[in-house]
Amino acid sequence: TGESRPCNVSRERAAASSRCEVSTLLGSPWKGRPEQKDNDMPRGDADVAIIGAGPGGAWTACLLARRGARVLLVDPSHPREKPCGGGVTGRALSIVVAAFAARELPAVRISAARFTNTAAGDSALVGLDDLAEPGGALIVASRRDFDGLLVGAARRAGAELLVDRVTDITRGRAGFRIDTSGGGSRMAPCVVGADGANSLTRRRLARS
């Protein structure tokens, strides 16, 4: 929905859901941006830049923006369809329940899973209804729909979405400079890498 409500998500759950080390940023409320000095980061840029607008990045952007941070969310392609990753557990849905109503996400509920041993020629059917998962055990949904709802929630909360590919990230005295394929650059004192297994953020900033 378009309503912006407080997110009652604990620090540990938010960090786990985003797969990002942002627990110190998710305390409530956002403490505000540091006092700017001459030659500090330009006005109009972000408190936090999040690279990657998949579920982890978009949900982190939503949480931070709702707490008053200026958030820049950078991704060239989300929301998009993906051939994998459409299975969402009930626990995951319960974490992002403040982002959208369940009825907004077209999905198929999975009540059982069959495991087959082709070598032995037998199989077992495992029911999932008895699992103690809030919101049900498992659903399968379109990633375009699921990711789109999370990106929409982040934007309604106030995050800026920059549809561009990050080409480089450098650390400086004023914070982090994010260069993009469009030829521009943005600055932020904090950066969150939510850009997947081949993360450019990790490659540029991870300590050796």
Side-chain angles (χ1 to χ4, degrees):
T1 62
E3 180 184 3
S4 178
R5 295 173 291 174
C7 301
N8 296 319
V9 179
S10 70
R11 181 177 300 175
E12 292 79 12
R13 289 176 68 192
S17 67
S18 64
R19 305 282 184 184
C20 303
E21 296 297 330
V22 295
S23 59
T24 57
L25 301 177
L26 292 176
S28 59
W30 176 258
K31 299 301 184 182
R33 53 195 68 92
E35 181 181 355
Q36 291 187 347
K37 301 178 181 179
D38 291 341
N39 299 322
D40 217 345
M41 78 172 190
R43 290 184 178 180
D45 278 15
D47 297 314
V48 184
I50 300 175
I51 315 304
W59 182 233
T60 302
C62 179
L63 292 177
L64 291 173
R66 286 182 175 183
R67 284 162 172 77
R70 295 179 303 165
V71 180
L72 175 67
L73 184 60
V74 189
D75 193 296
S77 61
H78 278 86
R80 68 176 188 269
E81 199 59 83
K82 297 182 69 176
C84 62
V88 184
T89 67
R91 179 176 180 275
L93 283 176
S94 71
I95 290 173
V96 300
V97 67
F100 55 85
R103 64 179 179 274
E104 295 182 79
L105 178 64
V108 176
R109 185 171 176 270
I110 306 302
S111 59
R114 182 177 296 277
F115 298 87
T116 302
N117 183 338
T118 55
D122 58 9
S123 64
L125 184 66
V126 178
L128 303 178
D129 287 335
D130 294 334
L131 296 180
E133 287 280 358
L138 180 68
I139 66 166
V140 174
S142 160
R143 280 295 301 273
R144 179 183 294 276
D145 293 339
F146 183 62
D147 293 11
L149 288 169
L150 291 175
V151 170
R155 297 184 70 181
R156 289 194 301 273
E160 175 190 355
L161 176 63
L162 176 60
V163 183
D164 211 344
R165 182 174 61 86
V166 174
T167 56
D168 200 12
I169 305 172
T170 53
R171 187 197 307 263
R173 289 170 54 186
F176 297 91
R177 171 173 168 160
I178 298 101
D179 296 325
T180 64
S181 57
S185 63
R186 302 290 293 269
M187 293 290 295
C190 298
V191 66
V192 174
D195 44 346
N198 297 316
S199 170
L200 176 69
T201 310
R202 175 181 54 80
R203 298 199 307 270
R204 292 292 188 268
L205 301 179
R207 296 176 181 177
S208 56

